[in-house]
Amino acid sequence: MKKYWSGAEIRQMFIDFFVERGHTFVPSSSLVPGGDQTLLFTNAGMVQFKDVFLGTDQRPYSRAVNSQKCMRVAGKHNDLDDVGRDDTHHTFFEMLGNWSFGDYYKKEAISWAWELLTEVWGLEKERLWATCFKDEKGEIPTDDEAAQFWAQQPGIDPSHILYFGRKDNFWEMAETGPCGPCSEIHYDRGMEYCDRQHEEGHVCRVNGNCKRFLELWNLVFIQYNRLSPTRLEPLPARHVDTGMGLERIVSILQDKPSNYRTDLLLPLMEKVRELTGHSEAERDANITPYRVIADHARAAAFLIADGVVPGNTGRNYVCRMIIRRASRFGSKIGLDEPFLAQVADVVIENYGKAYPELVRNREAILDALTREEKRFKRTVEQGLAHLEELLQAVRNSGGKVLDGEKAFELYATHGLPLELVRDIALEEGLEVDQAGFARAMEEHRLASGAGKSFGPLGGENVDVYRGILEALQSSGELGTEGVHYDPYSSLEVEGKVLALVRDGQPVQEVMTGDVVEVILPATCFYVEAGGQVSDTGTIVSVAEPRWEIRVEDTRKPAAGVITHVGEVVRGKPAVGDLAIAAVDAQRRRDIMRNHTATHLLHAELQAVLGKHARQAGSLVAPDRLRFDFTHPEALTPEQIEQIEAGVNRAIFEDMRLNIRFKSLNEAISEGAMALFGEKYAETVRTITIGDEEEILSYELCGGTHVENTGDIGIFLITSEGSAAAGVRRIEAVTGREAYALVQRRMRTLKQTAQILSASVEDVPNKAESLLKELDEARDQLSQLRRQLVSAEFEQSLNSIKDIQGIKVLAAQLSHADAEILRQMCDRFRQKYTSGVIVLASVENDKPLIIGAISDDLVKKGWHAGDLIKTVASVVGGGGGGRPNLAQAGGKDAALLPQALQKVFSWVESKLGA
């Protein structure tokens, strides 16, 4: 056995082992789950194959192998609390896995796992243990089949085959759906790894509570469909889903006591040590910061490579949080300037061959890290000082828990994530009310219009559609691939109505007014994907009696099934009728223009702003396009104009689109742009714009496009703004909508020119001249108003009352704003060393009241805020301010005379007191 393999070699050995056994290598999917609204991040290798297990997707292969990028930082699978505090937990990790979709089952999965571990990697057979399922409730059959196959493995110790219950050895995707027993492989690292051997009565065992036995590999056998908490039914096809953490197997094969001592993470810690100048002993004395920085720098680099930028909600919050957490731990070991980009550079160097997206997005990764560190440094000192005050208040009160709302205020105001606040609280022996923080954040999110983040699992009613498909395939009306899908070749298709679904159930006939789903042998309607909306159109009968269905949507409820969703507007459609399905051609052409324009916009954004400007979401509709992209700041008017001009230049050059189907690996290796959060098949459709000498755009895309860029007509940006922290949004129109917009703007411009008695070309100069005149007139009006109010104020001084030596004035002035009233109050205080003044006016039909008190009375405890509240209460208002000056508003201006009389009684009451 080779004594040492690198982590990269071990990853490749796993992949090669299963490729040699007929598996297709499937590249890792993005950390952002494509089309899956139930997950924040990809957290297991099976995520990209979930639709296969649910029956809503099918693949051209039945065996797969890969190393999947995973993140576990939220929800049920959340390892963040332990990251840095031990040797095994991570936010980002790699999951090695092999899958069988209705192909091989337990025998092969078990024998291959044993062969790889013992024959290829040479692990000692006596150190390996296998667990199988036995239901403690006695409701699900014991997995004796797996146990028997384990017993057949050469050299296994039969006493090392153990049974465990549901918690350890039964896997379920959700409360209902695919599930099955699993078989875990554990490795005995030896007594020296037991961290409880000195405790009396402690016994080391598999699934025990010490670190001697390490769970290494989980083999899941998906053989049931759960219909309810107590009802399971066998699946027609059984699957295998296995997962083994790369970091764990590397730590064993490299014989390291910690994942952080393997060549996957140690180079990152060594870079940190280089930056700090620490010795190895100093590093080990500060191992928690080193672990956190290594883990978080790796996680952040992979997140940013997949298009997740630092922000305030959802995935973006996680990215910001781990960067700031790493930055804070860096400050604990003397790293006070931005440093994470240098650590991330090591990540890119070490992982770039296996994950080329790191290399492609190197500039974006390093820039985003440094930018976020600088942003954090600007606010962290004040935030940490405030946090210390809050924690001191908790200690002073004898408490142990920091209020969750206060913790959220630290995040909202100072950018301190909950996880960082919790770290600091724990270091001081305190806790944070995490539930209270979550409630405050949810209230803030909903109040700000963010809405709910995640949706249903998907695959609802899949059994109904799968049953329809199987029946149609059995009768020969559909082939093995199901409904033929081709939205590219034609806008019309003829075929027999194979099935009708109403209210989730198949029916033979439907009536006018029914909402129905129609299944035909083939469709030319586009199914919503990649930001492009579904086609609409009609389905009409070919022969008498005539009927018509207005199609409003198209969807794919199960693998091989495409339904046209619409309303019956005429007649009685029935199964077996011959029909013609026609896409709304004009609407489709509008969509095609917008989709191709989206590709041109993406290319132009990168040309003007830089390669970091990557797609972060899109909408391609008939009336507009919306494009979200990663960029840290608002675009300047000059940049917007430059981008719009560049897109139109590409349109006017009338470049032909080159559309080809290629393997995913070939397209990616050629530099095709794959968009994060999208799911791609093994064979992908590529869209190239430009010639071989100068390719303007090269993307993977299943959407519909124009043949030549000139077909777009014209492209106009209608808005640019913020979509989220670090994400900008552009909306634009093309073709007919762009022409309509130009027409509206020209009409408005002509009308404006007519009003200004100017030519269209002279409108800006004329408008500027009029604005200048208006400003001058306003200045003159303001001066005149001040003069009039000043004269009125001087006259009001004649009505000053003297109350025990204190000058008191309460007066209402006409046409005075708050600024003028304050100026008059200042004049009064300058003239009278001991006095009280309250002036009122009416502004926009509402009372405006300002009061002032001289300094000698303030020293006696008089407060203008109290005075103003008393006066304002009469007019139905309230206010406040400083002891010497306060302001209030109200509702009923007619009551101002009565309100002002309160001034004198308030002064008399103060003197009487």
Side-chain angles (χ1 to χ4, degrees):
M1 180 184 87
K2 182 179 178 181
K3 296 298 182 184
Y4 180 88
W5 292 290
S6 69
E9 287 175 318
I10 292 168
R11 180 196 299 117
Q12 195 59 47
M13 290 171 76
F14 179 91
I15 293 168
D16 291 344
F17 178 87
F18 285 100
V19 167
E20 290 167 3
R21 285 153 184 79
H23 292 64
T24 296
F25 170 67
V26 181
S28 171
S29 62
S30 168
L31 285 169
V32 179
D36 191 333
Q37 299 182 40
T38 67
L39 289 174
L40 191 67
F41 293 112
T42 300
N43 60 12
M46 59 77 59
V47 169
Q48 71 166 307
F49 302 114
K50 188 180 78 171
D51 290 345
V52 179
F53 298 136
L54 287 171
T56 59
D57 191 16
Q58 55 192 11
R59 301 293 174 94
Y61 46 80
S62 60
R63 299 179 180 187
V65 59
N66 85 343
S67 181
Q68 173 62 48
K69 302 178 292 188
C70 299
M71 283 282 292
R72 289 186 178 176
V73 288
K76 176 183 175 183
H77 300 293
N78 185 358
D79 291 342
L80 181 66
D81 290 352
D82 298 311
V83 172
R85 306 185 194 283
D86 64 17
D87 290 316
T88 57
H89 283 90
H90 307 286
T91 53
F92 171 91
F93 63 97
E94 294 181 73
M95 184 68 80
L96 303 172
N98 59 289
W99 288 267
S100 164
F101 307 120
D103 192 330
Y104 65 83
Y105 202 46
K106 295 177 184 178
K107 179 181 179 181
E108 294 85 354
I110 290 170
S111 63
W112 285 338
W114 185 260
E115 181 184 355
L116 177 59
L117 292 174
T118 62
E119 301 301 324
V120 177
W121 284 334
L123 294 183
E124 303 94 321
K125 297 175 181 179
E126 61 273 14
R127 287 180 176 261
L128 293 171
W129 296 65
T131 65
C132 302
F133 173 68
K134 183 173 184 178
D135 189 11
E136 65 272 23
K137 296 182 179 180
E139 297 172 355
I140 306 173
T142 299
D143 193 5
D144 288 325
E145 182 183 15
Q148 290 169 7
F149 286 130
W150 277 118
Q152 295 172 12
Q153 301 313 306
I156 195 170
D157 184 340
S159 68
H160 286 193
I161 304 170
L162 308 175
Y163 286 97
F164 288 90
R166 298 187 181 199
K167 178 178 178 292
D168 296 303
N169 281 79
F170 196 83
W171 178 88
E172 301 190 64
M173 182 182 293
E175 293 180 2
T176 59
C179 58
C182 60
S183 191
E184 295 179 341
I185 304 170
H186 295 253
Y187 183 76
D188 181 359
R189 302 211 74 177
M191 181 60 74
E192 64 271 23
Y193 280 85
C194 174
D195 54 341
R196 308 185 67 175
Q197 56 187 291
H198 302 299
E199 295 182 15
E200 187 176 349
H202 171 72
V203 177
C204 299
R205 61 179 182 273
V206 171
N207 287 331
N209 53 3
C210 75
K211 296 180 180 180
R212 174 176 171 179
F213 289 92
L214 182 66
E215 179 193 334
L216 193 59
W217 201 346
N218 190 10
L219 315 180
V220 178
F221 307 120
I222 304 173
Q223 64 187 76
Y224 300 115
N225 182 29
R226 182 175 287 284
L227 303 175
S228 72
T230 57
R231 187 177 168 207
L232 298 176
E233 67 176 16
L235 286 171
R238 301 182 300 182
H239 313 294
V240 172
D241 164 18
T242 87
M244 173 166 57
L246 176 65
E247 288 79 6
R248 289 193 181 187
I249 186 62
V250 171
S251 72
I252 289 174
L253 294 177
Q254 293 183 359
D255 193 24
K256 301 295 182 182
S258 163
N259 293 352
Y260 291 91
R261 305 287 178 169
T262 69
D263 72 337
L264 296 174
L265 287 159
L266 184 60
L268 280 62
M269 294 205 299
E270 286 299 281
K271 169 54 74 171
V272 177
R273 190 164 73 86
E274 176 189 319
L275 295 173
T276 61
H278 283 169
S279 65
E280 290 188 8
E282 288 172 317
R283 177 199 65 198
D284 294 346
N286 294 278
I287 196 63
T288 294
Y290 274 86
R291 289 176 185 144
V292 169
I293 293 168
D295 175 272
H296 288 10
R298 181 175 71 162
F302 273 95
L303 282 174
I304 297 167
D306 277 350
V308 181
V309 294
N312 291 329
T313 58
R315 300 177 179 108
N316 307 97
Y317 169 83
V318 172
C319 187
R320 167 163 288 170
M321 177 269 295
I322 61 173
I323 293 172
R324 294 189 171 192
R325 191 167 186 252
S327 178
R328 188 248 167 184
F329 272 98
S331 67
K332 292 171 72 73
I333 53 175
L335 297 174
D336 296 320
E337 296 298 322
F339 66 93
L340 285 172
Q342 297 179 69
V343 184
D345 229 355
V346 181
V347 176
I348 296 167
E349 177 68 25
N350 290 0
Y351 286 83
K353 185 175 181 181
Y355 301 101
E357 62 270 23
L358 290 168
V359 178
R360 287 197 303 270
N361 297 300
R362 180 180 180 275
E363 182 182 341
I365 293 167
L366 305 186
D367 179 69
L369 285 169
T370 301
R371 190 183 296 271
E372 182 61 22
E373 282 187 275
K374 288 180 178 178
R375 185 183 288 118
F376 183 47
K377 296 291 184 186
R378 287 198 295 267
T379 60
V380 66
E381 288 185 13
Q382 187 177 357
L384 291 176
H386 186 39
L387 171 58
E388 186 51 43
E389 291 174 4
L390 293 174
L391 295 178
Q392 187 59 50
V394 172
R395 285 191 292 267
N396 292 344
S397 67
K400 282 286 187 181
V401 181
L402 176 64
D403 179 73
E405 287 192 14
K406 288 185 171 62
F408 177 72
E409 288 173 10
L410 284 166
Y411 173 63
T413 306
H414 301 290
L416 295 184
L418 168 65
E419 293 75 8
L420 196 153
V421 172
R422 190 176 57 204
D423 284 341
I424 296 171
L426 286 172
E427 290 169 5
E428 300 190 20
L430 301 174
E431 299 176 10
V432 179
D433 172 18
Q434 298 183 54
F437 179 95
R439 283 193 301 272
M441 191 169 194
E442 179 71 6
E443 289 171 6
H444 172 77
R445 189 168 58 79
L446 293 176
S448 64
K452 294 192 177 294
S453 298
F454 301 103
L457 177 68
E460 291 80 7
N461 297 327
V462 65
D463 292 338
V464 172
Y465 298 97
R466 190 188 289 141
I468 293 172
L469 176 64
E470 290 172 354
L472 292 172
Q473 289 173 328
S474 297
S475 66
E477 293 189 277
L478 280 180
T480 56
E481 298 299 315
V483 175
H484 178 65
Y485 179 59
D486 180 10
Y488 313 116
S489 304
S490 171
L491 294 177
E492 191 175 290
V493 65
E494 181 176 321
K496 187 167 71 171
V497 175
L498 300 182
L500 297 168
V501 179
R502 183 182 61 202
D503 298 328
Q505 296 299 322
V507 294
Q508 290 298 306
E509 185 180 76
V510 289
M511 311 286 288
T512 300
D514 284 348
V515 176
V516 63
E517 293 182 78
V518 185
I519 299 176
L520 302 171
T523 185
C524 54
F525 281 64
Y526 185 82
V527 179
E528 181 176 355
Q532 179 176 327
V533 299
S534 293
D535 280 328
T536 62
T538 58
I539 303 176
V540 298
S541 58
V542 170
E544 299 290 343
R546 295 291 181 178
W547 54 259
E548 180 181 350
I549 297 171
R550 185 173 60 242
V551 178
E552 299 294 342
D553 193 14
T554 314
R555 71 189 196 101
K556 185 179 179 182
V561 178
I562 295 172
T563 68
H564 307 79
V565 184
E567 181 182 353
V568 181
V569 295
R570 179 161 60 107
K572 298 180 181 179
V575 173
D577 289 352
L578 194 61
I580 295 174
V583 171
D584 183 332
Q586 183 169 274
R587 182 177 181 274
R588 165 71 83 80
R589 283 192 289 270
D590 290 338
I591 292 171
M592 292 160 65
R593 293 186 186 101
N594 284 336
H595 205 149
T596 304
T598 298
H599 286 222
L600 296 177
L601 173 60
H602 196 178
E604 198 60 35
L605 283 167
Q606 293 201 337
V608 173
L609 304 178
K611 293 297 183 183
H612 68 277
R614 293 175 293 154
Q615 182 172 338
S618 69
L619 170 68
V620 178
D623 60 333
R624 71 193 189 283
L625 65 91
R626 186 182 71 217
F627 192 82
D628 295 348
F629 57 98
T630 53
H631 188 64
E633 57 199 10
L635 272 61
T636 65
E638 293 75 19
Q639 287 173 325
I640 294 173
E641 189 174 315
Q642 187 179 354
I643 290 163
E644 185 179 84
V647 173
N648 281 300
R649 203 160 41 243
I651 291 171
F652 301 149
E653 289 179 11
D654 197 26
M655 292 180 280
R656 187 165 187 81
L657 274 68
N658 185 2
I659 301 175
R660 292 182 181 176
F661 287 89
K662 299 180 180 181
S663 73
L664 177 61
N665 287 341
E666 179 187 0
I668 294 295
S669 66
E670 289 176 349
M673 190 177 298
L675 306 179
F676 85 93
E678 290 294 330
K679 288 170 60 176
Y680 296 105
E682 298 311 300
T683 299
V684 293
R685 190 165 173 262
T686 66
I687 312 291
T688 306
I689 303 175
D691 54 37
E692 293 183 0
E693 294 181 2
E694 186 179 358
I695 293 176
L696 181 64
S697 170
Y698 183 25
E699 294 193 22
L700 309 183
C701 182
T704 59
H705 289 268
V706 298
E707 290 186 1
N708 299 281
T709 59
D711 297 338
I712 298 171
I714 191 170
F715 170 88
L716 297 174
I717 294 175
T718 56
S719 68
E720 188 277 335
S722 173
V727 178
R728 306 299 297 179
R729 170 172 292 173
I730 280 179
E731 296 204 11
V733 291
T734 68
R736 293 189 309 128
E737 284 293 329
Y739 175 73
L741 178 62
V742 169
Q743 287 290 91
R744 289 194 301 273
R745 288 180 174 176
M746 283 299 299
R747 190 180 304 117
T748 301
L749 186 57
K750 289 175 181 178
Q751 290 171 349
T752 305
Q754 188 174 5
I755 292 169
L756 295 175
S757 299
S759 66
V760 168
E761 290 77 11
D762 201 37
V763 164
N765 293 332
K766 186 73 172 181
E768 187 176 357
S769 175
L770 285 174
L771 286 173
K772 185 177 179 181
E773 291 176 15
L774 182 59
D775 287 340
E776 291 172 353
R778 283 172 175 164
D779 288 341
Q780 292 172 3
L781 180 61
S782 179
Q783 290 175 14
L784 181 59
R785 181 181 295 161
R786 278 196 295 271
Q787 292 171 5
L788 291 172
V789 172
S790 179
E792 188 178 6
F793 172 71
E794 289 296 331
Q795 191 173 0
S796 72
L797 293 176
N798 296 326
S799 60
I800 289 176
K801 288 187 178 182
D802 189 308
I803 304 177
Q804 298 184 30
I806 298 172
K807 304 297 183 182
V808 182
L809 174 61
Q812 181 173 343
L813 304 179
S814 303
H815 310 299
D817 58 21
E819 180 60 30
I820 294 176
L821 291 182
R822 278 193 289 270
Q823 290 175 6
M824 298 305 109
C825 286
D826 289 341
R827 285 171 61 178
F828 177 87
R829 286 193 296 174
Q830 290 168 4
K831 189 168 186 177
Y832 302 103
T833 56
S834 182
V836 174
I837 180 172
V838 174
L839 297 178
S841 187
V842 179
E843 192 172 44
N844 299 323
D845 297 325
K846 297 292 184 182
L848 174 64
I849 307 168
I850 292 182
I853 295 176
S854 58
D855 292 341
D856 64 315
L857 298 177
V858 170
K859 291 176 181 178
K860 294 180 180 180
W862 294 29
H863 198 295
D866 297 336
L867 168 61
I868 215 73
K869 286 176 184 175
T870 300
V871 176
S873 65
V874 178
V875 294
R882 303 192 304 272
N884 62 350
L885 183 69
Q887 179 175 331
K891 298 176 182 177
D892 192 349
L895 296 176
L896 274 176
Q898 295 94 309
L900 290 172
Q901 290 303 310
K902 287 284 186 180
V903 176
F904 305 108
S905 59
W906 185 85
V907 172
E908 289 169 352
S909 70
K910 297 297 286 185
L911 291 170

